[in-house]
Amino acid sequence: MADLRIDGHTRVIAHLGHPTHSFKAPLIYNPWFAASGTRAVVVPLDCPAGALDALLPPLMAAPNVLGALITMPHKVGVVRLLDEVSRTARVAGACNAVKRLPDGRLVGDMFDGEGFVRGVQRKGLALAGASALVVGSGGVGSAIAASLAAAGVAQLRLFDLNDDATQALSARLREAHPALRVQVGDRDPAGLDLVVNATPLGMEPGDALPLDVNRLDARTFVGEVVMRERITAFLAAAQARGCRVQVGTDMLFEQIPAYLEFFGLPVATPERLRELARLDTPQENTP
Amino acid sequence: MADLRIDGHTRVIAHLGHPTHSFKAPLIYNPWFAASGTRAVVVPLDCPAGALDALLPPLMAAPNVLGALITMPHKVGVVRLLDEVSRTARVAGACNAVKRLPDGRLVGDMFDGEGFVRGVQRKGLALAGASALVVGSGGVGSAIAASLAAAGVAQLRLFDLNDDATQALSARLREAHPALRVQVGDRDPAGLDLVVNATPLGMEPGDALPLDVNRLDARTFVGEVVMRERITAFLAAAQARGCRVQVGTDMLFEQIPAYLEFFGLPVATPERLRELARLDTPQENTP
């Protein structure tokens, strides 16, 4: 196990969010930086709601700060502090990565959806022309929908108990992807190529399932964003129906190569990142 | 060698200065935090002149930021951003450590002089009633003078080519320590108990010596702040005259226990810190 050495040449990636206790990124990036001899470190900075506007600009102006990982509650709010955002971030309405360009401008991107998409593609699911249902139109659901659209799905069904969130997401998707068929307000998974739980359902024991699993076809690929358990109740039900699945931490590990590219740092495969990661519970490291 | 683990429970000490390349603190504190299981990390943040005012307040407001180590060029400028400073920092006119109190106020202290004083005291030099010469009235010279005064020296001789700096330091010393005999403008070391080089002379090959070493008595204790070499030309000349000496890095290692106390973190001895430290050149670790 290579040791993380921090010295005066170390570049900093600030991990901004609140609360910090459940942050996983430092436990994934830093072992990779140590193993690869990359002079960089991910540092958690506790940034409560309302504190981002004062902190982000001076922090990002520090010459040895490469950028920031942005998480709850700032993924949406950070957008208006940036000079530029990627198309995916614009459609998602949120950013989870910020960097400073050589001219000082701040640019943001959103990799949650990218991680999800890379994961299912690497498991053999072809997305071009596919049909998908994303349950949950919050930050992560919007990001997944945006990345699925960018990956070429033909039909996207969106559902959230907060109908306003779904309508707003739908409008941004239609504007960026005029050829995409967007359908809102229905969470029937029957007959679709891909179904995703992007709600927090599954975080707490006894949570309801996000949709009617009895309507799942065996040929449908089922993805999950909840990381609390490797096989959530929803994934277990999908597997019982014969579906292939993607677990929550896959989205996490699959998006890190994209983040590393964004920051201009040496890139590792998701498998290598998992092997090195030092998450709190052993099961979290298991794909 | 214990490994430094950074996670969502890690508290951050920002090391603020510019440039960062020669920063030593991360290479001393972090191995101790790793060895002692202290959930804290010292992180270099490059903060050029003029950038501190915008960065320090929001950074220090982050709940998991314990405080900051302040170095060039901010040791003097940081004072006016603080709510409160110690007497030593007030006399020195500078701070190298800042922390946030539970009520949110920012307090500063200055440990360069404390480190120097602890070092010479632990080498057996009694300071109460002693006479001393400090050559150099910049940040570190002012800090050493302030700490020598606090440690009870009776007579303090100050010299700097910048006479204004010496006069200002002298005025602050006289105000805080009315019984102290302060003498300015003379750098004759003859007959004194302690003589200190607190100038940058010795940083570059071929630098002049800070004072006339032929006037050094064998009984005089000689200290150095330059860390470029363990035995600088000035210390070598003092040793040739029979003087006991203190090397530059002693000030660094001796002050760290004081810093750790200030931040409320587990304390190590200077010897233990040296043993664990991972400075760039092996000689820097040697006392």
Side-chain angles (χ1 to χ4, degrees):
Chain A
M1 174 67 68
D3 192 25
L4 180 67
R5 178 192 153 99
I6 299 173
D7 65 19
H9 298 274
T10 300
R11 291 156 298 167
V12 174
I13 297 174
H15 190 182
L16 298 172
H18 178 82
T20 62
H21 290 176
S22 60
F23 279 13
K24 297 186 196 304
L27 296 160
I28 302 173
Y29 286 76
N30 292 333
W32 164 241
F33 294 154
S36 59
T38 304
R39 289 175 132 173
V41 63
V42 169
V43 177
L45 276 183
D46 193 352
C47 186
L52 189 71
D53 292 22
L55 180 57
L56 190 79
L59 188 64
M60 296 295 297
N64 74 328
V65 172
L66 272 181
L69 312 180
I70 308 291
T71 187
M72 291 273 288
H74 301 300
K75 287 187 186 186
V76 171
V78 71
V79 173
R80 69 194 154 65
L81 300 175
L82 306 179
D83 299 299
E84 195 179 300
V85 300
S86 69
R87 183 174 73 159
T88 302
R90 185 163 35 86
V91 176
C95 286
N96 67 359
V98 173
K99 69 178 173 184
R100 185 187 59 241
L101 296 179
D103 65 6
R105 284 180 311 134
L106 299 185
V107 299
D109 210 330
M110 174 45 121
F111 297 114
D112 281 339
E114 174 74 11
F116 183 89
V117 161
R118 288 188 184 199
V120 298
Q121 284 175 328
R122 293 211 310 144
K123 290 177 182 72
L125 186 68
L127 290 175
S131 59
L133 162 64
V134 179
V135 182
S137 302
V140 66
S142 297
I144 290 171
S147 291
L148 288 173
V153 300
Q155 181 195 340
L156 205 43
R157 186 174 292 179
L158 306 174
F159 180 85
D160 196 296
L161 293 176
N162 174 354
D163 188 57
D164 289 351
T166 309
Q167 293 295 348
L169 171 59
S170 156
R172 294 194 304 270
L173 278 165
R174 287 190 173 107
E175 191 188 332
H177 301 278
L180 178 70
R181 278 175 287 136
V182 183
Q183 200 185 354
V184 303
D186 178 4
R187 57 177 150 171
D188 182 2
L192 300 177
D193 298 310
L194 172 66
V195 167
V196 188
N197 174 40
T199 75
L201 290 171
M203 297 281 284
E204 301 299 330
D207 274 349
L209 296 182
L211 51 81
D212 182 359
V213 293
N214 296 316
R215 301 274 301 160
L216 277 171
D217 296 333
R219 71 163 195 86
T220 300
F221 194 106
V222 174
E224 172 68 279
V225 304
V226 171
M227 300 179 197
R228 190 192 152 87
E229 294 173 295
R230 203 175 87 74
I231 300 297
T232 58
F234 175 57
L235 290 183
Q239 283 181 326
R241 306 274 305 172
C243 302
R244 285 180 300 157
V245 302
Q246 171 161 295
V247 304
T249 56
D250 276 0
M251 183 178 76
L252 186 65
F253 283 99
E254 294 278 352
Q255 74 183 282
I256 292 177
Y259 266 117
L260 292 168
E261 286 163 29
F262 176 76
F263 290 123
L265 294 172
V267 175
T269 63
E271 290 72 20
R272 178 75 172 132
L273 293 166
R274 274 198 190 270
E275 184 185 308
L276 293 167
R278 304 173 72 192
L279 300 183
D280 295 313
T281 58
Q283 63 86 359
E284 290 182 304
N285 275 23
T286 312
Chain B
M1 173 69 65
D3 191 27
L4 180 67
R5 179 191 152 98
I6 299 174
D7 65 20
H9 298 274
T10 300
R11 293 156 299 167
V12 174
I13 298 174
H15 190 183
L16 298 172
H18 178 82
T20 61
H21 290 175
S22 61
F23 279 12
K24 297 185 196 305
L27 297 161
I28 302 174
Y29 286 77
N30 292 334
W32 164 241
F33 293 153
S36 61
T38 304
R39 289 176 133 173
V41 63
V42 170
V43 178
L45 276 183
D46 194 351
C47 187
L52 189 71
D53 293 23
L55 180 56
L56 190 79
L59 187 63
M60 296 294 296
N64 74 329
V65 172
L66 273 181
L69 312 180
I70 309 290
T71 188
M72 292 272 289
H74 300 300
K75 286 187 185 184
V76 171
V78 73
V79 172
R80 70 194 153 64
L81 300 175
L82 306 179
D83 299 298
E84 195 179 301
V85 299
S86 69
R87 182 174 73 158
T88 303
R90 185 162 36 84
V91 176
C95 286
N96 67 358
V98 173
K99 69 177 173 185
R100 184 188 60 241
L101 296 178
D103 65 6
R105 285 181 308 135
L106 299 185
V107 299
D109 210 330
M110 174 44 121
F111 298 115
D112 281 339
E114 175 74 10
F116 184 89
V117 160
R118 288 187 184 201
V120 298
Q121 284 175 327
R122 294 211 308 145
K123 290 177 183 71
L125 184 68
L127 291 174
S131 59
L133 162 65
V134 179
V135 181
S137 301
V140 66
S142 297
I144 290 172
S147 291
L148 288 173
V153 300
Q155 184 195 337
L156 206 43
R157 186 173 290 179
L158 306 174
F159 180 84
D160 196 295
L161 293 177
N162 174 355
D163 189 57
D164 289 350
T166 310
Q167 294 294 348
L169 170 58
S170 157
R172 294 195 304 270
L173 280 164
R174 287 190 172 106
E175 191 188 332
H177 302 279
L180 178 70
R181 278 176 287 137
V182 183
Q183 203 186 352
V184 303
D186 178 5
R187 58 176 149 172
D188 182 2
L192 301 176
D193 299 310
L194 173 64
V195 167
V196 188
N197 174 39
T199 75
L201 291 171
M203 298 280 285
E204 300 299 330
D207 274 349
L209 297 182
L211 51 81
D212 181 359
V213 292
N214 296 315
R215 301 274 300 161
L216 277 172
D217 296 334
R219 72 164 195 85
T220 299
F221 194 107
V222 174
E224 172 66 279
V225 304
V226 172
M227 300 179 197
R228 189 190 151 87
E229 295 173 294
R230 204 177 86 76
I231 301 297
T232 59
F234 175 56
L235 289 183
Q239 284 180 327
R241 305 275 304 172
C243 302
R244 283 181 300 159
V245 304
Q246 172 161 293
V247 304
T249 57
D250 277 2
M251 183 178 79
L252 185 65
F253 282 98
E254 294 279 350
Q255 75 182 282
I256 292 176
Y259 265 118
L260 292 168
E261 286 163 29
F262 176 77
F263 289 122
L265 295 172
V267 174
T269 63
E271 290 72 21
R272 178 74 172 132
L273 293 166
R274 273 198 191 272
E275 187 185 306
L276 293 166
R278 304 173 72 190
L279 300 183
D280 295 314
T281 58
Q283 62 88 359
E284 290 182 304
N285 274 24
T286 312

